[in-house]
Structure formats: structure tokens, C-alpha cells
Amino acid sequence: MGLASFSDGYSGFSAAVSTVALALAALLLITITVLRASRSWHAARLARHEATWREALLRAMEMPDTDLPPIPRSLLPAFASYWNRIRASLKGPAAENLGAPLRRGGLEPRVLAMLGSGSLRLRLIAATTLGYLRARSAWEPLARMARLPSPELSSTAAQALLRIDADAALDLLAAELVDRDDWSLARLGSLFKELGPDAITPGLARIIASRPPRGAHRIVRLARFGQRKSMGLAVREWLRTSGDAQVLESALDYVEDTHDLAQVRGAARHGDWRVRIAAARALGRIGSRPELAVLLELLSDPQWWVRYHAAQAVTALHGLDPGEVQALQRLATDPFAAQMLAQALADRTPAA
Amino acid sequence: MKAAVEWIGWFFLGYLVLLNGGYIALNLLAIPTLRRRLAREPLATLPTAYCGLEPPVSLLVPAYNEERTIASSVRSLLQLDYPEFEIVVVNDGSKDGTLAALSAAFDLEPYPEAYWRRLEAKPVRAIYRSRTAAGLRVVDKENGGKADALNVGINASRHPYFCAIDADSILERDSLRRVMEPFVDDPSTVVSGGTVRIANGCTVSGGHLERVALPRNPLALFQIVEYLRAFLFGRLGWTTLNAVLIISGAFGVFRKDVIVAAGGYRADTIGEDMELVVRLHRVLRERREPYAIHFVPDPVCWTEAPEDLAILKGQRIRWQRGLAESLHKNIELLRYGGGGPAGLLAYPFFLVFECYGPLLEVAGYVCTVALWALGYISLTQMLLFMLLAFSLGFLLSVSALLLEEMSYHLYPRGSQFAALVLVAIAENLGYRQLVTWWRLVGLSRWLRGAQSTWGTMTRKGSWQK
């Protein structure tokens, strides 16, 4: 019994693992202490520099010939990141003026060099800065980066290219914009909104005209940021010719007049319920009394959302007053339709 | 006999090393995901205009006897920075004045909603909408528990994504935007969960967090290190493998069509949030559908941790029962050959270390002391076992502190760091063992099949202005 019952291996193993664990824990604690000290030193240094940068950049917004203080190599990423934040919050001449001191101070080639770094963080910062600077010199490296498999790098590079020359970038990236599901539509949409309809309409129209075989619904959704008239004409053509439910669903959002009524009525009987919803919404926008029959049919649709949008459309139909909708509700033999109409009528008198 | 005793000794020693080694490996696995996230931070903080293509979200707030806090919770939700969302508060047959408080605060009026009962749930008594807050509806229903209330919320929601939120959660203004990012960036995302951090000691004003600080209460302090170690970086490690099994019910966003197809929340389980996520892994793997479950490590949701032993005990017993129920109701994930990392790694890990772990841990401590008392091992050997348990636990906590330091650095003051290190030492000298014991009680109650109910947690809210 006693000590002799357990091999020394047990004690040795316990002692060895405990020693290693405690030593590692001590090492980690030292690392944390060093990290904290270094972080606080950097934060103080950065705060001092940011105060100078802020002053210079605020002046540069009004006077583009303002010179920047020298930016040490070690602070270039922090400066570029700071500049990106200010630049992203500006519009108009102040935004344009903000780039001048960087170009004059020779920072563009330095940021371009940062684009080739091995660090994801530095590459993302650099691509964003070069995009805001509209740096033509970065076109080729950014074009290569936009074709990388990494969604972060490729989509950030694509956004930079679009900022440098939207029209050329839309031609260059047409295939990726359509195919790459990992490029967020919401982020592209925000950028397209920032660039404005004049900058993106010709390029988007060319992509739509090329009739991409797949992923067309992405372009149709992005087309809303182009000039409504030109985009509408191009997209509505697809209502007649596309069999893709997602394309039809998005294209129906562009229907604004009665020219497409026949297509919309057809879409109201489509097998995909999302297309039927889009058709109901389109009928609510452009329809009048003759469309009531189609909408009443949709009020009995097996899909709740189709019934919901059909009821909303009924209350919005031109030439139909609330009294008539109430009468329809009272006379409805389908309880679902009656409930939906009651809800839609309540929605017409918004609470807040 | 000697061989058997020695085998027992080695078994518990090995278990201890595997348990802590597993968590340390998870912390290491968290590093690439954390680094990638931090690399994107300079872009994530750039001001961006919303464009209208962001997915709209329904915020579901199940409420049971929340008359004191519900109005301020809803007010803080109304201030969230996100382009399109609605709030659906589900009053789960509260016995207090929850509905009256909502009605008084938001001027509710009856709303003739064509309620769609996609998921089975207790009957709805009435639906109201606010005359003063656009997008706010209140569903009053018969009591059926949190899962049932969430199912009613799903039925009443209008947007393709829903966010389940505890009524007492404290959110950052950009919380919803951050937790929705995975859906925006990755079309295969079906769930995105936010990190829940401890609000005790912090300053909260108007339902939003104003200043991060450490609490004075030792129990709350222990839980801060525990959350970092087990709930934050552990889950982030599983994210790297797309094998997260728990998304906190306090703040998680779900793709509605997927949840409805999976049958919604199970009302017969106490851990409805975990059960749903484990079931999603099972169902989506069985259907061979590509999917991703993300965990957002940013500190986006804050909650009050128990500062009282009795409440903490109740919470941990409930959590353990929920864990055991969730795993055993989806045991097919383990059997199913195509379970992927969730079925092949995370599920067995949770089953062995999280579910039955307390049994083995307590047995380990008891056996070691018994072996020493019976003279099979020396005092030195017993103390070495205890030292091993302490040192591995301390290493794990310190590694979590390092990850916190490398990433969010929420406690910048030197005194805060010193306090956390002391806590990392002290928690191994009784707190962890106590929690393990409570978890064992929870496990035994699950085995005995005790009924599940709404979790009751008395909030002090002393940090709220």
C-alpha cells in the first residue's frame, strides 16, 4: 500500500505536466504584460500623431495644397486607416481635396507597396486607400487582387477598382459581379449608391445587354442603383424573355406603367411564390379596377405572403376606395382573404 | 487490486489533461478566426450608408413577468442602428402587468392580424400594435414557455430573418448590424450568434452600455473569466470548424425559412436555444444542404450575471439539463456518418466533457481523496493531482486572458488586469469545483426527468441608470 502502490510514473507525469502548465501560464502572463505595455505606448504615440494628422487633414479639406507632416514607415498603416475613416465620411469637394496632400507627399507609391504585404489587414487598408485616392497606378495590382479566391481581398479590391473608374471596372469585373456569391450585394449596393447612377449606368447596361447565363438576378438587383429609366427598359425586357424565377422576381420591381401588365398578370400565376409576391406588388403599383380579379385570386393563394401582398395591393389599387375594400372583405367567402383584407385595411391607417 | 487502482488514477489524470487540453486547443483554433475578424476591423469601422439591400430582421422578444424592465428594453431596441427591422414582443401569459406596462409605454391598440400558424404553439389571445413606435407589435398569448413564445413570434414575424433576444439583454447600438454581417457576406449562413458578455460593474444608460468595468462581487468576477474561457473563445474555436453547437438565446439571428422547415423551437426542452442549433446541424447535414453557423466574437450583447449563490446554482443546473436534453434529443448527429465536424468532433466533445464531464470530474476528485484516505496513494501524489487540476485550469484561463488582450482589450487598466489574474488563480480553488458539482446536480435532475419551465433569474440591475 501507500507510495509503493502507485508507480513513480504517476507522480512524475503529474509533476511534469503541472510544471509545464505553470511555466506556460507564466510565459503567457509575461506576454500579456508586454502586449499591454506595447499597446499603451502605441496608443499614446498614435494619439499624438492623430492630433497632428487631424489638423492637417481638416485644413486640406478646404485647401488641397496643405502639406502633411512626414509619416514614419511604422505609422503608415495607422495613417492610411485614419485617412480612410475621414475620407469615407466625406462627400463633394472636401472629399476630393483630401487626397491631394497624399499624392503630393508621395504616399501613393508607399500605400501601393503596402498592397503587396503578406498581412491581410494591411492589404485591406491599402486597397481601400488606393480606391479613395483613385490611384490609376494601382489598377493592375488591384485587378489581380480582385480575382483572388479570398472574398475579403477580392471584394475590397473590386470596390477600389470601382472607385477608381466605375465604367472600366464594371467591364473588367462583369463576370465576378454576376458569379461571385461571396461578394455581398449589400456592400456593392452601398458602393453603387455612393458612386451615383451616372457613373454606373452605362457599365451595368452593358452587363445586362450581355445576358449573363447565370447570376443575372444579382445584376437586376444592383440595377436599381442605376438611372431608373435606362435600367428599367433593359431589365423589363427580361420580363418577356427570362424563365429564371429570381430574375423575374427582381425585374418585376421595375414595372412602373401599364405596358407590362400582360407580363405581370402572367407572373401572378407563376409556380414560384416569390414571383407571385412580386407580381402582386407590381399590380398594387400600376393596377386599377380590372386587375382586381387577379388579386382576388391571389388572396386565396396557399402562401401567406402572397395573400398578404395581394391584400396590400387591393387596398392600393387605383380607383378603389376603402369602402369598396371593406365591402369585399365582408363579402369574402374565403376566411383567409377576409382576414388579410382586414389587416391590410388596418395597415392603411398607420398607427405611428 | 494495485493494477486496478493505478488504472483508475491514470484514467482520471488522463481525463483532466484531455479536458483542459481540449479547451486550450479550442482557444488556439479561435486564433485564425479572431485574426481574420480583427484584420477586417479597419473596414468594419468605416462609416457606410445603408443601401436598401440589407436583409430586414424581425426582433423577437419573449417576455414573462417582465413588467419592471420590458418598456426600457423595448425602447433600447427601437434605437438600434439598422435599416429595416420590426419588434415583436411576445407576452407569454405573464402573471404580472407586463402587457399593461407595454400598453402604457407604447400606446397599444388591437390589430386585426391574419395570424399564420406555421409552427404549433399555444393560442394567441390578441395582437396589438403601437400607436407611437412604428414597427412594434405585441402578441399576447397563453403561457407555454420561452420556446413556445418564440414559435409564436416566428409565426407573427414578417421578415426573412429573426433575432431572438432576451428581454433583459443590453445591446450596443450597432449590435444588430454586426450580428447580421455573416448573412450579408456569406449566403450559406443560417444562424449568426452574438457574444454575450457580463454587464455587472459596467455603466448602462437608456438600455445601452456606456462604460465597461469590472464588478466588485467575487461571483460575478469569477463568471467574467469563465465566460472568456468557455463561452467566448471556446465557441470561436468551434466556429473555425463550422461546428458551433450553442448560440445563446440572449442574442442570435436565424434564417426563418430554415428554422420553420426544421420545426421551430421545441417547447419540451429547457435549453431550447442549444437544442435548435444542434438540430439544425443534424437536419441540414442529413439533407446535405450547405450551411454555415457563425459566432460573432465582438462584444455586442451584455447581460447581468448572478451575484448570489442560490441564483447561480439554479442557472447552472438549468443550463446542464438543457445541454443534456439538447444532445440526447439529437443523438443521430453522432450516429449519422456525414455529421461533419459538428457530428464527429463537437458533439462527442460536448457529450464527454460538457454533458458527462461533471460526473467524471467529481468522481476524479472523490476517488483521489478516497485513494489517499485508504492509503493507496501518498499525500504527495494526491496533492500532485490537485496541483495538476489547478495548473491546467490556470493555464486555460490565462490563455483566454491573452486572447482577450489580443482582440478586444475591454479591461485596459492595470488594476483590472491584476484583478483578472487573481480571479484566474482563485477560481480554481473552489469556484470551478462548486460549479462542477451544480452541473452534476443538473445532470442527475435531467436523468430523473424533471419538468422544464421558464428560467427565473432575479436581476438586480444596480448598474442601470
Side-chain angles (χ1 to χ4, degrees):
Chain A
M1 293 276 199
L3 268 173
S5 295
F6 257 45
S7 68
D8 288 341
Y10 180 89
S11 306
F13 181 80
S14 304
V17 176
S18 301
T19 310
V20 170
L22 288 173
L24 275 175
L27 191 68
L28 294 186
L29 281 174
I30 293 167
T31 310
I32 296 174
T33 312
V34 171
L35 264 179
R36 289 178 74 95
S38 147
R39 187 193 284 264
S40 109
W41 181 77
H42 277 293
R45 183 174 174 229
L46 200 58
R48 281 197 306 275
H49 283 281
E50 277 188 358
T52 325
W53 298 340
R54 188 183 307 115
E55 203 179 307
L57 292 175
L58 284 174
R59 252 201 326 271
M61 284 180 212
E62 299 291 325
M63 295 176 286
D65 55 349
T66 305
D67 283 329
L68 284 173
I71 311 290
R73 194 174 163 214
S74 61
L75 284 175
L76 184 61
F79 171 77
S81 193
Y82 184 74
W83 185 85
N84 287 345
R85 279 205 304 278
I86 294 184
R87 175 61 186 78
S89 60
L90 295 176
K91 278 182 185 168
E96 296 307 315
N97 291 346
L98 203 66
L102 273 77
R103 289 188 206 99
R104 216 178 30 258
L107 285 179
E108 191 178 302
R110 290 174 64 191
V111 177
L112 186 57
M114 208 162 91
L115 196 65
S117 131
S119 150
L120 174 64
R121 181 184 172 92
L122 296 193
R123 293 174 86 184
L124 293 176
I125 293 173
T128 308
T129 309
L130 291 165
Y132 279 130
L133 279 175
R134 303 220 176 95
R136 286 270 169 197
S137 59
W139 186 268
E140 281 307 318
L142 285 170
R144 282 195 297 277
M145 195 166 149
R147 298 213 159 89
L148 292 174
S150 153
E152 289 103 342
L153 285 172
S154 58
S155 67
T156 307
Q159 290 178 41
L161 290 166
L162 283 158
R163 283 196 176 103
I164 294 170
D165 183 342
D167 201 50
L170 283 167
D171 283 343
L172 180 78
L173 303 169
E176 284 79 8
L177 284 170
V178 170
D179 284 341
R180 288 202 68 157
D181 276 349
D182 56 356
W183 286 10
S184 151
L185 268 185
R187 290 192 204 286
L188 286 170
S190 294
L191 177 61
F192 281 16
K193 195 174 163 187
E194 173 195 318
L195 296 171
D198 293 346
I200 59 166
T201 300
L204 277 177
R206 284 194 295 277
I207 299 178
I208 292 170
S210 72
R211 312 292 302 246
R214 63 191 192 89
H217 65 280
R218 285 173 60 86
I219 290 300
V220 177
R221 292 190 74 192
L222 288 172
R224 68 156 74 175
F225 301 102
Q227 285 158 351
R228 184 85 189 170
K229 202 171 171 187
S230 330
M231 291 292 102
L233 280 173
V235 168
R236 280 158 58 191
E237 176 60 24
W238 286 7
L239 273 180
R240 276 175 273 279
T241 52
S242 178
D244 183 323
Q246 282 181 298
V247 172
L248 280 177
E249 182 195 351
S250 306
L252 281 162
D253 279 345
Y254 290 83
V255 172
E256 279 175 343
D257 54 54
T258 50
H259 283 104
D260 299 307
L261 257 179
Q263 279 72 39
V264 179
R265 286 196 200 106
R269 293 184 177 90
H270 196 276
D272 190 308
W273 60 274
R274 281 162 295 210
V275 178
R276 298 202 294 278
I277 285 179
R281 286 166 55 177
L283 287 175
R285 280 198 307 275
I286 61 164
S288 50
R289 199 175 287 271
E291 275 63 62
L292 191 57
V294 179
L295 287 172
L296 288 176
E297 214 174 288
L298 289 177
L299 269 175
S300 300
D301 195 278
Q303 267 290 337
W304 189 91
W305 284 109
V306 179
R307 297 203 295 272
Y308 173 79
H309 286 285
Q312 298 288 334
V314 168
T315 58
L317 272 188
H318 300 292
L320 208 66
D321 61 52
E324 286 177 277
V325 181
Q326 276 168 354
L328 281 173
Q329 187 219 334
R330 280 195 303 276
L331 296 172
T333 47
D334 182 346
F336 292 129
Q339 276 178 7
M340 273 302 176
L341 285 171
Q343 182 178 331
L345 279 166
D347 286 343
R348 284 282 141 187
T349 49
Chain B
M1 184 66 183
K2 180 191 167 189
V5 168
E6 189 153 347
W7 187 88
I8 291 170
W10 277 106
F11 173 78
F12 288 121
L13 206 63
Y15 175 79
L16 204 62
V17 173
L18 275 178
L19 170 72
N20 289 286
Y23 274 115
I24 290 169
L26 280 175
N27 278 0
L28 291 174
L29 268 178
I31 291 176
T33 309
L34 204 57
R35 284 175 67 97
R36 183 162 286 267
R37 179 132 197 111
L38 293 172
R40 292 171 55 186
E41 198 60 21
L43 302 193
T45 50
L46 290 180
T48 314
Y50 292 119
C51 71
L53 289 179
E54 297 81 10
V57 192
S58 300
L59 307 184
L60 308 185
V61 189
Y64 178 68
N65 294 345
E66 305 268 3
E67 67 176 350
R68 283 175 56 209
T69 54
I70 191 69
S72 62
S73 302
V74 172
R75 267 191 210 104
S76 76
L77 292 179
L78 286 165
Q79 292 169 37
L80 286 175
D81 169 27
Y82 196 73
E84 192 178 353
F85 66 91
E86 62 167 2
I87 300 173
V88 181
V89 180
V90 184
N91 178 40
D92 188 39
S94 296
K95 290 175 184 149
D96 67 354
T98 300
L99 187 60
L102 284 164
S103 190
F106 301 104
D107 193 11
L108 300 182
E109 65 171 358
Y111 177 64
E113 180 154 325
Y115 176 70
W116 182 16
R117 202 169 159 176
R118 272 171 292 188
L119 296 168
E120 282 302 310
K122 294 272 184 185
V124 167
R125 293 172 185 150
I127 298 179
Y128 304 88
R129 69 172 171 181
S130 167
R131 287 194 184 95
T132 54
L136 168 64
R137 280 177 296 145
V138 176
V139 182
D140 184 33
K141 66 177 281 281
E142 288 179 11
N143 179 262
K146 187 178 172 185
D148 193 72
L150 283 166
N151 283 339
V152 164
I154 294 171
N155 287 344
S157 64
R158 293 180 179 175
H159 294 317
Y161 296 89
F162 72 85
C163 178
I165 299 176
D166 276 356
D168 49 18
S169 290
I170 298 144
L171 302 178
E172 308 265 337
R173 274 181 223 277
D174 64 351
S175 296
L176 197 53
R177 184 177 62 75
R178 283 186 179 260
V179 85
M180 283 302 291
E181 272 175 10
F183 292 102
V184 169
D185 291 328
D186 176 4
S188 69
T189 305
V190 294
V191 183
S192 169
T195 299
V196 180
R197 292 275 194 127
I198 290 178
N200 305 49
C202 300
T203 310
V204 176
S205 179
H208 294 284
L209 194 89
E210 284 204 331
R211 190 178 64 91
V212 178
L214 287 176
R216 287 176 184 278
N217 180 283
L219 265 187
L221 269 172
F222 284 141
Q223 290 171 80
I224 283 180
V225 175
E226 188 185 19
Y227 267 56
L228 286 178
R229 186 185 62 230
F231 305 148
L232 174 52
F233 297 115
R235 282 181 202 175
L236 199 56
W238 290 121
T239 302
T240 309
L241 302 171
N242 191 25
V244 178
L245 293 191
I246 303 180
I247 290 295
S248 169
F251 192 53
V253 180
F254 299 80
R255 211 176 87 191
K256 193 164 72 181
D257 59 340
V258 174
I259 304 307
V260 170
Y265 287 94
R266 282 184 73 145
D268 61 348
T269 176
I270 200 168
E272 71 290 327
D273 43 3
M274 180 179 183
E275 196 283 327
L276 178 63
V277 177
V278 180
R279 179 152 40 96
L280 281 179
H281 277 293
R282 175 172 63 78
V283 168
L284 294 171
R285 289 270 171 198
E286 279 169 1
R287 291 187 199 148
R288 297 183 187 279
E289 285 178 25
Y291 72 97
I293 295 180
H294 290 275
F295 173 68
V296 178
D298 307 13
V300 289
C301 175
W302 299 75
T303 190
E304 185 182 345
E307 294 189 347
D308 173 287
L309 271 179
I311 297 171
L312 182 64
K313 177 184 173 187
Q315 183 198 59
R316 296 313 164 94
I317 289 174
R318 214 166 49 242
W319 284 4
Q320 192 65 24
R321 285 177 53 199
L323 174 85
E325 276 178 355
S326 304
L327 292 177
H328 289 85
K329 282 180 174 165
N330 293 285
I331 194 102
E332 293 86 354
L333 185 60
L334 187 64
R335 289 195 206 128
Y336 180 59
L344 298 172
L345 287 173
Y347 191 100
F349 183 93
F350 271 79
L351 197 67
V352 173
F353 296 121
E354 295 280 355
C355 182
Y356 293 104
L359 187 66
L360 294 168
E361 279 179 66
V362 171
Y365 286 118
V366 171
C367 271
T368 307
V369 175
L371 288 175
W372 165 70
L374 294 169
Y376 284 104
I377 60 172
S378 67
L379 179 66
T380 313
Q381 283 172 323
M382 185 189 73
L383 290 176
L384 275 173
F385 178 85
M386 299 299 176
L387 177 68
L388 184 70
F390 166 83
S391 53
L392 287 174
F394 180 54
L395 174 62
L396 182 58
S397 297
V398 173
S399 69
L401 291 183
L402 175 65
L403 289 182
E404 165 69 11
E405 196 53 44
M406 286 164 59
S407 53
Y408 299 107
H409 190 56
L410 287 182
Y411 307 104
R413 286 166 49 198
S415 57
Q416 291 173 325
F417 173 56
L420 290 176
V421 174
L422 284 177
V423 169
I425 295 171
E427 65 156 354
N428 292 290
L429 305 172
Y431 175 78
R432 284 184 78 172
Q433 290 78 6
L434 186 62
V435 169
T436 305
W437 172 250
W438 290 334
R439 287 169 59 205
L440 183 62
V441 174
L443 186 66
S444 74
R445 287 197 192 163
W446 167 72
L447 286 166
R448 283 185 279 129
Q451 278 292 304
S452 57
T453 55
W454 266 86
T456 50
M457 156 110 183
T458 311
R459 310 271 176 190
K460 287 173 72 178
S462 50
W463 30 267
Q464 294 232 38
K465 276 187 197 166

